[in-house]
Amino acid sequence: MAQRAVGACFTHIKQRRHSAFGLCSALQSGRALQTGRQLTLRCLHASSIGHGILAGLLQTAKSKNPITTQWYGQAVHETHPELVAKDETTPGIARSEYEQRRRQLVENLPDGSVVFLFGAPMHFVSPHVFHEYRQDSDFYYLTGWNEPDSAVVLEKNKHASRGYTMTMFVRPKEPEKELWEGPRSGLEAAVSIFGADEARPIDELGKHAMKLVAGDRGRAVGGDWGIYVDLDSEHGLTPSSHSDALGKLLRRERLGSRVRQLTTLVQRARLIKSPSEISLMREANRISAVAFAETMRTCRPGLCEATLQATFEYASRMSLVGPGKGGSTGSASDISASADRSPLTRPAYVPVFASGEHALCMHYVQNQGRIKDGELILVDAGAEYAAYASDLTRTFPVGGKFSGPQRDLYSALLSVQEQMIKLCHVGSGFSLNEIHRLSTSVLVSELKQIGFHVSVRDIDRHLCPHHISHYLGMDVHDTIDMTRSRQLECNMVVTVEPGVYVPYDAKFPKAFQGIGIRIEDDIVVGKTEADIENLSRHAPKTVSEIEACMSR
């Protein structure tokens, strides 16, 4: 009987050109397909995805409309085998790692707790003109999903096979909208690729949330269960209509005492990087090192700062155009050696290209000045690769050779940086704040050797008013709620970036006034000094390396 019903529906699809999603909806609800009406899948369970006829029918829709041929809203193995390996959800990160991340989060919550996490909304430059989309880092860390108007609900359930259930709320496949906005991954992919137990359209989130948190849930579950969610912008989060609606529901149901902050729990996990994450950050740094070398070689008097910025960004992309032609069903290492991987990179942040006295401003990003012979240019720029950031700074002479005062000041700062990098291991017992405090004392000592008469107070107030370090990961200033007073742990990734910015002030030697220098590397914290890895070590940094690079 079931086989006859499916066969009849399949014939109807071919005759009427209904989508396979319409068929799935009809099969699950037991109702007949209606002609002349666009049908949309309303709910999909993991049990519905298999290797049988239903799975085959679900794939028929992608051949009906050339706009949705890509089928998914982001690169996945099925469409981009040259970028995503067979066992990966996103480039470089296996499905099993995403599962481990979610399991680790839920295992530490009280029984019966619920997690609500919202994707980032689309941001617009002006009406109808949008910015390039970037997903919320916590959301991406737990799901790998890279589309707006999305949410995930995790329910801790000791009776579930993996200890929790995962429901994703996403935009369903809608060919008419995809004609304008590009392909969506839809409900099927949320289950089959991204690991959800159930997927529903995003507009059903409110109804689902009401069932979870309203009524007598407290009496039914008991104990100290909590609702883990972030509803404010205090932690750099962007509120959305969905999070606002949930906040109103929780207030109406008087469940404020049950609400717990989520992002600090996720950030605590993100703080320690997995081998896969470090591998992606190593590649981001390799890209940036190539771009820095090319920028140094391109630099000459008369160019605009913006021209060097364009050189850096172009070189970043081109560093990922491999010699081979794509296609791989193997591991990530196979993929790394093949094809054009440039879609996986973009600037990790708005860069600084500050020539001359522009470098006295910590974050000068106008990049409009014309560079002059005899000046230094401070470049703070980094590539993002597969959602992981690099953050490098190099300062080099426009004309290719350091002057005497420039060389002396640069060498003093480089000495400080190299000494601080050696402390980035667990055995030192240091925190980032302790490294910072030590760096100011060391900088005082180094500057005195070249004629400065300064104190730690002068360093903190005038010559280097910023911190020497921050955590790095999916965000440039990563895991911002994690204190820098925390003792260093293995596989944290941190920056080490001392700077010296000499204002036009008679209390400082005239030969150095107007010079700004910063040197920054990305460091993987090791167990011992020998285990420290400088991810950005290939970017020219010493005086001799820089001058040799610029002479080519």
Side-chain angles (χ1 to χ4, degrees):
M1 176 66 181
Q3 289 179 337
R4 287 199 300 273
V6 170
C9 286
F10 185 46
T11 301
H12 193 87
I13 282 179
K14 290 194 291 186
Q15 293 174 346
R16 300 293 184 181
R17 297 188 177 182
H18 279 301
S19 72
F21 283 138
L23 169 66
C24 182
S25 182
L27 289 175
Q28 289 186 336
S29 64
R31 61 178 170 77
L33 281 163
Q34 301 177 34
T35 61
R37 179 182 174 192
Q38 179 67 42
L39 295 175
T40 303
L41 183 65
R42 302 308 300 171
C43 174
L44 189 64
H45 293 264
S47 59
S48 302
I49 303 295
H51 300 290
I53 189 169
L54 182 57
L57 291 173
L58 282 168
Q59 297 173 15
T60 60
K62 60 182 173 184
S63 63
K64 299 297 183 183
N65 188 333
I67 299 300
T68 58
T69 297
Q70 180 177 313
W71 190 241
Y72 302 104
Q74 65 191 83
V76 295
H77 177 73
E78 286 75 4
T79 56
H80 295 78
E82 74 281 10
L83 302 181
V84 187
K86 193 172 185 179
D87 63 341
E88 294 174 346
T89 299
T90 59
I93 305 294
R95 291 186 178 92
S96 58
E97 183 161 332
Y98 281 105
E99 169 62 24
Q100 181 182 358
R101 293 171 179 181
R102 293 189 293 266
R103 192 187 299 270
Q104 179 183 347
L105 172 68
V106 173
E107 281 178 350
N108 293 319
L109 305 182
D111 289 340
S113 293
V114 183
V115 171
F116 288 92
L117 190 58
F118 303 96
M122 183 70 78
H123 294 284
F124 289 81
V125 180
S126 60
H128 307 146
V129 180
F130 45 82
H131 285 285
E132 181 180 10
Y133 183 70
R134 190 185 191 281
Q135 185 58 278
D136 173 80
S137 293
D138 285 352
F139 191 89
Y140 193 88
Y141 180 80
L142 291 174
T143 67
W145 185 269
N146 198 34
E147 294 183 41
D149 293 325
S150 307
V152 63
V153 178
L154 305 176
E155 300 172 61
K156 183 164 185 176
N157 181 352
K158 60 185 177 182
H159 302 296
S161 61
R162 50 184 178 174
Y164 71 93
T165 59
M166 175 182 176
T167 306
M168 289 188 70
F169 295 84
V170 302
R171 301 178 302 175
K173 298 289 291 181
E174 294 185 68
E176 292 83 0
K177 291 188 177 180
E178 291 173 78
L179 174 68
W180 292 93
E181 300 170 359
R184 299 175 177 181
S185 295
L187 307 188
E188 181 195 10
V191 172
S192 63
I193 295 177
F194 294 88
D197 296 295
E198 183 179 347
R200 294 177 176 272
I202 185 63
D203 58 15
E204 293 187 10
L205 174 61
K207 181 171 64 176
H208 187 80
M210 173 70 79
K211 287 166 55 179
L212 282 178
V213 306
D216 59 353
R217 178 177 176 82
R219 289 192 295 276
V221 177
D224 58 350
W225 67 275
I227 300 169
Y228 290 82
V229 64
D230 301 305
L231 296 173
D232 56 50
S233 57
E234 179 184 348
H235 305 277
L237 304 168
T238 303
S240 67
S241 59
H242 308 299
S243 61
D244 289 344
L246 179 62
K248 291 177 182 176
L249 170 63
L250 296 176
R251 288 191 293 272
R252 187 172 69 242
E253 298 295 325
R254 298 181 181 178
L255 287 168
S257 63
R258 292 285 186 181
V259 174
R260 310 282 187 270
Q261 190 181 86
L262 174 63
T263 187
T264 51
L265 300 179
V266 182
Q267 288 182 43
R268 199 169 296 144
R270 286 173 50 198
L271 187 60
I272 309 300
K273 305 302 186 288
S274 71
S276 296
E277 291 178 293
I278 291 173
S279 179
L280 293 176
M281 296 183 73
R282 190 178 293 121
E283 180 65 358
N285 273 270
R286 184 199 67 81
I287 295 165
S288 296
V290 170
F292 264 103
E294 183 61 28
T295 302
M296 290 176 185
R297 286 191 289 267
T298 301
C299 183
R300 65 176 185 273
L303 292 180
C304 183
E305 294 162 341
T307 303
L308 290 186
Q309 177 183 346
T311 300
F312 186 96
E313 293 173 2
Y314 176 75
S316 296
R317 293 266 186 188
M318 293 306 295
S319 72
L320 290 167
V321 179
K325 294 185 178 180
S328 174
T329 57
S331 67
S333 59
D334 297 328
I335 291 173
S336 297
S338 68
D340 181 347
R341 292 176 292 125
S342 60
L344 300 183
T345 192
R346 59 181 168 186
Y349 52 95
V350 179
V352 173
F353 282 76
S355 62
E357 61 189 23
H358 292 163
L360 300 182
C361 174
M362 305 301 106
H363 289 102
Y364 165 88
V365 295
Q366 285 77 8
N367 303 341
Q368 297 172 344
R370 200 160 299 279
I371 60 180
K372 302 172 185 177
D373 197 13
E375 293 183 337
L376 297 177
I377 180 166
L378 185 158
V379 177
D380 185 339
E384 178 185 290
Y385 179 75
Y388 285 82
S390 62
D391 183 5
L392 286 71
T393 306
R394 294 291 185 264
T395 308
F396 49 93
V398 171
K401 292 287 184 180
F402 287 89
S403 70
Q406 291 169 349
R407 178 187 294 265
D408 290 344
L409 190 59
Y410 188 93
S411 298
L413 190 67
L414 181 60
S415 176
V416 175
Q417 197 223 21
E418 290 176 338
Q419 291 178 63
M420 297 306 106
I421 288 175
K422 291 178 180 179
L423 298 175
C424 292
H425 62 94
V426 175
S428 73
F430 277 73
S431 67
L432 293 182
N433 282 343
E434 289 167 328
I435 290 175
H436 173 73
R437 284 192 289 271
L438 179 60
S439 73
T440 59
S441 299
V442 175
L443 183 56
V444 167
S445 176
E446 292 287 343
L447 292 179
K448 284 182 177 179
Q449 294 181 43
I450 58 173
F452 282 76
H453 301 285
V454 292
S455 64
V456 169
R457 180 179 173 86
D458 292 321
I459 301 297
D460 290 337
R461 295 193 62 183
H462 302 292
L463 296 178
C464 186
H466 63 75
H467 202 286
I468 196 174
S469 183
H470 57 79
Y471 302 117
L472 183 69
M474 300 180 76
D475 296 330
V476 175
H477 284 234
D478 203 47
T479 57
I480 59 172
D481 291 323
M482 298 295 101
T483 175
R484 285 185 277 198
S485 296
R486 187 186 189 113
Q487 188 172 328
L488 293 176
E489 299 176 54
C490 280
N491 290 346
M492 287 179 172
V493 180
V494 301
T495 64
V496 179
E497 50 179 308
V500 59
Y501 316 91
V502 187
Y504 293 101
D505 189 320
K507 70 186 299 184
F508 306 117
K510 186 173 180 60
F512 301 107
Q513 290 177 21
I515 297 177
I517 301 173
R518 185 162 64 250
I519 308 170
E520 179 179 18
D521 285 314
D522 301 344
I523 307 299
V524 181
V525 175
K527 184 176 181 180
T528 68
E529 183 179 335
D531 300 321
I532 296 169
E533 181 181 0
N534 185 341
L535 296 174
S536 41
R537 62 190 179 278
H538 297 300
K541 184 172 71 167
T542 67
V543 169
S544 60
E545 287 171 349
I546 290 172
E547 291 185 345
C549 178
M550 298 187 74
S551 68
R552 294 172 189 163

